[in-house]
């Protein structure tokens, strides 16, 4: 087994290990985004941490460093896939695609959560983004990519506030759903969206 070292953030660094993590299971709109990252040996781990523990500026700084030096892939599960498979299996499918697209033969595959995608020879690690540096790095890429996508969608579908709540079911988002109905990036299988679409005599205009 590869030597494990503690990072400055007290995360475990396993040279050559691939970390897999996702962002965006809970929102009512937009894709789930998966990051797959292999951090190179000697990579400066200062500032690498679970993306939820970092500010936007910190996440973007670390994402730029990861993209510059690490081996990585970012994969999406779009709303239509989420509605077809459900959120768990769409996330697993995107993780599998990310792992395959990343290529190579990592020393280990470490997956955030309580299960691994089919045909991915990995180890599931609950709250792994706070334990392993490669998973934390994957979480950073997933989060920053998804946030930027939702800012872009805010310009395409104004009025919903995607740049503020990123698709999560905030009061502002729910009010916009009631006023405008769902737009093309809403997840029709999610309860609050489904409740709107099932209202009788509602002209959604999409």
């Amino acid at each position: 087994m590869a030597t494990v070292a503690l990072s400055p953030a007290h995360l475990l660094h396993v040279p050559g290990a691939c970390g897999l993590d996702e962002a965006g299971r809970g929102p009512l709109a937009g894709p789930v985004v998966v990051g797959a990252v292999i951090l190179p040996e000697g990579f400066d781990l200062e500032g690498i941490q679970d993306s939820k523990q970092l500010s936007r500026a910190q996440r973007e700084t670390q994402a730029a460093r990861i993209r510059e030096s690490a081996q990585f892939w970012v994969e999406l599960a779009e709303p239509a896939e989420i509605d077809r498979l459900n959120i768990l299996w769409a996330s697993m499918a995107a993780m599998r695609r990310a792992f395959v697209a990343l290529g190579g033969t990592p020393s280990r595959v470490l997956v955030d959560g309580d299960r691994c995608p089919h045909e991915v020879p990995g180890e599931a690690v609950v709250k792994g983004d706070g334990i392993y540096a490669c998973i934390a790095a994957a979480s950073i890429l997933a989060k920053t990519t998804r946030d930027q996508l939702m800012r872009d969608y805010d310009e395409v579908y104004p009025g919903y506030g995607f740049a503020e709540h990123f698709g999560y079911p905030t009061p502002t988002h729910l009010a916009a759903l009631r006023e405008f109905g769902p737009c093309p990036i809403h997840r029709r299988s999610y309860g609050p969206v489904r409740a709107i679409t099932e209202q009788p005599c509602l002209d959604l205009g999409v």
Side-chain angles (χ1 to χ4, degrees):
M1 182 176 295
T3 301
V4 175
L6 286 174
S7 78
H10 305 296
L11 298 179
L12 298 173
H13 178 41
V14 183
C18 170
L20 287 166
D21 200 3
E22 50 74 26
R25 285 200 187 190
L28 306 180
V32 167
V33 179
V34 170
V37 176
I38 299 176
L39 295 174
E41 192 167 0
F43 183 81
D44 181 3
L45 295 172
E46 187 69 46
I48 298 295
Q49 183 56 279
D50 169 11
S51 65
K52 297 183 293 296
Q53 305 301 318
L54 301 175
S55 68
R56 174 183 172 181
Q58 290 171 328
R59 284 193 298 267
E60 291 179 350
T61 295
Q62 297 307 322
R65 294 180 56 237
I66 294 164
R67 288 176 178 273
E68 181 179 355
S69 301
Q71 184 180 352
F72 72 92
W73 189 266
V74 175
E75 184 68 34
L76 308 184
E78 298 287 1
E81 183 177 17
I82 294 168
D83 290 337
R84 185 175 75 253
L85 298 180
N86 80 34
I87 186 60
L88 172 61
W89 296 117
S91 299
M92 292 292 101
M95 281 191 174
R96 183 170 60 253
R97 293 195 298 268
F99 173 74
V100 171
L102 186 67
T105 306
S107 61
R108 292 169 70 183
V109 182
L110 300 165
V111 182
D112 187 62
D114 60 0
R115 68 182 68 201
C116 294
H118 293 315
E119 301 178 358
V120 173
E123 306 166 43
V125 185
V126 175
K127 297 184 179 179
D129 50 5
I131 299 172
Y132 287 102
C134 60
I135 300 180
S139 79
I140 290 169
L141 287 194
K143 172 67 172 168
T144 54
T145 299
R146 189 179 192 282
D147 284 358
Q148 186 56 55
L149 284 171
M150 296 309 291
R151 293 185 196 101
D152 294 341
Y153 279 131
D154 186 64
E155 298 182 7
V156 178
Y157 306 110
Y160 293 95
F162 290 139
E164 285 74 45
H165 53 65
F166 302 103
Y168 283 90
T170 64
T172 298
H173 189 186
L174 295 174
L177 260 178
R178 289 190 292 269
E179 181 176 357
F180 305 119
C183 75
I185 67 164
H186 277 101
R187 302 173 183 177
R188 298 310 204 261
S189 58
Y190 275 42
V193 183
R194 187 172 64 247
I196 295 294
T197 61
E198 291 176 353
Q199 288 183 21
C201 303
L202 178 64
D203 181 7
L204 301 177
V206 297

